[in-house]
């Protein structure tokens, strides 16, 4: 029993230490961004790396940046994308889609397919949250098309699952079936069994 307790305590200590180290790094980066230069590139790089594992911390550090719109246009667009994604991952309520539209428009203009498909997926998520199912479907369709051309398996899986769910609840069963098969294939490419099971559960209905 004591061995399990010591192991748990050790893991907890390591997790706390990791979070504290990240917080220190983020603080130093933010100080540099806000006080020493007119670039927030370092904090955006850090946010990209941490978004999947620490979305709350990423949201907090991006929210701390003063007047992000005053930075170079490309950095502001990247901030808009990351901030919107962090909000989505933290289940924070979106009252508008204005920020993610900035990212979509910028990456479309720059022909940055990778970030455009991520922006469109996030735009679709926000439009769906705001009650615009049709707008969400249009965004997901474009995101899916780009993600498949890029062989971006994770985003192909996410977007086809989202779109398949929309079609399912709109009674468009054939289209939904096609999309969930796409999701299964993408999950298979990643070797992600739980994702495969999720998509297959819809096919079994």
């Amino acid at each position: 029993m004591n061995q399990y307790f010591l192991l748990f305590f050790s893991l907890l200590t390591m997790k706390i230490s990791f979070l504290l180290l990240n917080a220190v790094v983020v603080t130093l980066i933010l100080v540099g961004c806000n006080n020493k230069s007119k670039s927030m590139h370092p904090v955006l790089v850090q946010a990209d790396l941490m978004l999947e594992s620490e979305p709350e911390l990423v949201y907090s550090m991006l929210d701390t940046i003063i007047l992000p719109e005053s930075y170079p246009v490309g950095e502001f667009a990247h901030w808009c994308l990351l901030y919107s994604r962090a909000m989505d991952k933290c289940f924070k309520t979106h009252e508008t889609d204005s920020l993610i539209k900035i990212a979509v428009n910028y990456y479309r203009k720059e022909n940055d397919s990778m970030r455009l498909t991520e922006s469109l997926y996030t735009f679709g998520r926000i439009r769906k949250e705001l009650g615009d199912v049709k707008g969400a479907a249009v965004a997901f369709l474009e995101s899916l098309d780009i993600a498949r051309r890029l062989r971006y398996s994770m985003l192909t899986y996410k977007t086809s699952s989202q779109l398949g769910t929309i079609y399912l609840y709109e009674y468009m069963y054939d289209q939904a079936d096609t999309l969930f098969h796409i999701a299964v294939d993408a999950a298979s490419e990643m070797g992600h069994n739980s994702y495969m099971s999720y998509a297959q559960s819809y096919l079994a209905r």
Side-chain angles (χ1 to χ4, degrees):
M1 187 70 177
N2 288 335
Q3 290 179 336
Y4 288 118
F5 175 77
L6 288 173
L7 178 60
F8 172 76
F9 183 76
S10 175
L11 291 172
L12 181 62
T13 303
M14 290 174 62
K15 177 67 173 177
I16 292 172
S17 298
F18 175 75
L19 290 175
L20 287 174
L21 178 61
N22 272 334
V24 170
V25 170
V26 168
T27 301
L28 291 173
I29 290 173
L30 287 172
V31 168
C33 285
N34 287 328
N35 295 327
K36 292 184 179 180
S37 67
K38 206 59 181 172
S39 173
M40 55 179 166
H41 179 70
V43 76
L44 297 176
V45 171
Q46 186 72 10
D48 253 331
L49 293 172
M50 295 168 56
L51 185 59
E52 294 298 327
S53 60
E54 302 291 344
E56 288 281 358
L57 184 56
V58 168
Y59 173 79
S60 296
M61 70 191 231
L62 294 175
D63 197 47
T64 305
I65 294 177
I66 300 170
L67 296 175
E69 66 273 18
S70 67
Y71 288 84
V73 62
E75 293 187 3
F76 180 48
H78 195 185
W79 180 91
C80 288
L81 172 57
L82 291 172
Y83 190 73
S84 299
R85 288 181 63 197
M87 284 187 69
D88 186 48
K89 286 182 174 295
C90 295
F91 303 103
K92 296 186 182 296
T93 301
H94 290 89
E95 296 181 356
T96 176
D97 61 6
S98 58
L99 290 179
I100 194 60
K101 275 184 177 178
I102 291 171
V104 169
N105 291 336
Y106 177 80
Y107 292 122
R108 194 187 301 282
K109 179 182 175 183
E110 294 296 312
N111 294 315
D112 187 335
S113 298
M114 183 69 76
R115 291 217 170 115
L116 177 58
T117 189
E118 292 175 346
S119 300
L120 286 164
Y121 171 76
T122 306
F123 181 56
R125 293 271 299 172
I126 294 171
R127 289 313 309 166
K128 186 177 178 183
E129 180 186 334
L130 294 174
D132 179 15
V133 177
K134 182 178 179 180
V138 170
F140 287 141
L141 274 170
E142 186 178 0
S143 176
L144 179 60
D145 179 60
I146 299 170
R148 295 186 77 187
R149 283 193 281 108
L150 294 174
R151 300 188 65 82
Y152 189 166
S153 298
M154 177 58 80
L155 204 60
T156 296
Y157 170 80
K158 289 182 176 180
T159 308
S160 56
S161 297
Q162 288 285 331
L163 193 55
T165 303
I166 288 176
Y167 285 162
L168 185 65
Y169 288 104
E170 292 294 323
Y171 307 106
M172 300 167 67
Y173 298 121
D174 289 341
Q175 294 91 328
D177 186 76
T178 298
L179 286 159
F180 284 120
H181 274 104
I182 292 172
V184 169
D185 290 342
S188 178
E189 288 175 5
M190 294 185 289
H192 208 304
N193 292 332
S194 62
Y195 286 0
M196 285 181 64
S197 297
Y198 175 81
Q200 286 171 338
S201 69
Y202 279 92
L203 290 172
R205 294 186 179 190

